[in-house]
Amino acid sequence: MALNNTYDARLQQETAVGAGVQILLLALLGSAIGMGPAGWLTGLAFAFATWAVLSRAVHRSRLSSFGPANRVTLGRATLVGGVTALVADSFASTPPVTLLVALTAVALLLDGVDGKVARRTGTSSALGARFDMEVDAFLILVLSVYVSTRLGPWVLLIGVMRYAFVAAARVAPWLTAPLPPSFARKTVAAIQGICLLVAGAELLPRPVNLAVTALALASLTWSFGRDVRWLWRTARVPAAVPAEQPRLLELAAR
């Protein structure tokens, strides 16, 4: 028991360090661009929420070590917190596009690193996979909010689609069934951040940004639609089995 408490204390210290680094990044951003109250409050709220949720998840997972892969993901979460603060601040002042793009680009580049680190070090875990997924989803949501102020509210569909799926699963439990691995699903998820980053950078003409963002939304809609169809068809199969059992028994008896 004492050993478990020691491990838990060390894990909680790592999550606290992550929150501290997040606050340090906010301080650096604030001094660099003169970030306003909206950016500060949003950034601090993100840091506190990440620390609280992650601390609880770590405690419930009973991991013996936080692991290098989770440290990479925590670093990505810190960058996402900075992007979140900048996007919130952009509603009150002109956003520092170069800084926002730089933080987002690094966060996206590190997206594939944590998974590779987990596999090479043998530290893969359900917590790590969920942590990585939530960081990705929130970054896409924040980027969609930012791009929607330039291209229109329809862009928000990209960011809220995953959360709508989670909400729907509470009403329709069959949506919670595990999905088979899919390279197409991973590819579609990866291009969302890239497309939103390209559109948010505003380096290309508006029609091109519209086309890139529309392509991202179309591919994401296709991916979710395909998965929902597969889950629906799979959920209906067990219900059909009992009805066939008498017929199968009859044939077996012959």
Side-chain angles (χ1 to χ4, degrees):
M1 182 64 71
L3 186 60
N4 289 337
N5 290 336
T6 300
Y7 281 136
D8 189 67
R10 290 178 180 176
L11 294 174
Q12 298 302 332
Q13 287 174 0
E14 296 219 37
T15 60
V17 169
V21 174
Q22 178 72 80
I23 294 173
L24 177 60
L25 176 61
L26 292 176
L28 293 174
L29 293 175
S31 62
I33 66 171
M35 193 162 56
W40 271 104
L41 291 174
T42 304
L44 290 173
F46 179 89
F48 177 79
T50 302
W51 168 77
V53 173
L54 185 58
S55 295
R56 182 180 180 185
V58 164
H59 176 72
R60 297 178 63 180
S61 67
R62 300 186 180 278
L63 292 176
S64 60
S65 172
F66 195 65
N70 284 333
R71 293 188 185 102
V72 174
T73 308
L74 186 58
R76 289 179 52 234
T78 300
L79 296 174
V80 172
V83 173
T84 302
L86 292 176
V87 170
D89 192 63
S90 69
F91 286 92
S93 60
T94 303
V97 178
T98 301
L99 184 56
L100 190 150
V101 168
L103 290 178
T104 303
V106 175
L108 291 174
L109 287 173
L110 290 175
D111 185 20
V113 173
D114 43 14
K116 292 180 180 179
V117 170
R119 289 187 292 272
R120 289 182 180 179
T121 58
T123 55
S124 300
S125 66
L127 171 64
R130 180 66 182 272
F131 186 22
D132 177 58
M133 181 177 63
E134 295 299 340
V135 171
D136 291 343
F138 194 79
L139 176 59
I140 296 303
L141 175 63
V142 171
L143 290 177
S144 68
V145 170
Y146 179 71
V147 176
S148 70
T149 62
R150 278 114 182 108
L151 300 182
W154 61 272
V155 182
L156 291 173
L157 292 172
I158 297 176
V160 303
M161 197 172 299
R162 188 257 173 180
Y163 295 99
F165 179 84
V166 173
R170 293 182 177 275
V171 181
W174 53 270
L175 289 172
T176 61
L179 288 163
S182 170
F183 178 76
R185 186 188 309 116
K186 292 180 179 179
T187 302
V188 168
I191 68 173
Q192 300 306 306
I194 297 173
C195 291
L196 290 172
L197 177 61
V198 169
E202 298 184 322
L203 297 176
L204 302 175
R206 180 181 172 84
V208 176
N209 289 333
L210 284 169
V212 167
T213 309
L215 174 63
L217 177 58
S219 64
L220 189 63
T221 302
W222 168 81
S223 181
F224 270 101
R226 188 185 67 156
D227 286 345
V228 169
R229 182 171 179 269
W230 186 90
L231 290 169
W232 170 251
R233 294 179 63 182
T234 303
R236 291 172 59 88
V237 171
V241 172
E244 296 293 332
Q245 284 180 351
R247 177 60 177 168
L248 293 175
L249 292 174
E250 180 183 350
L251 293 175
R254 293 179 182 177

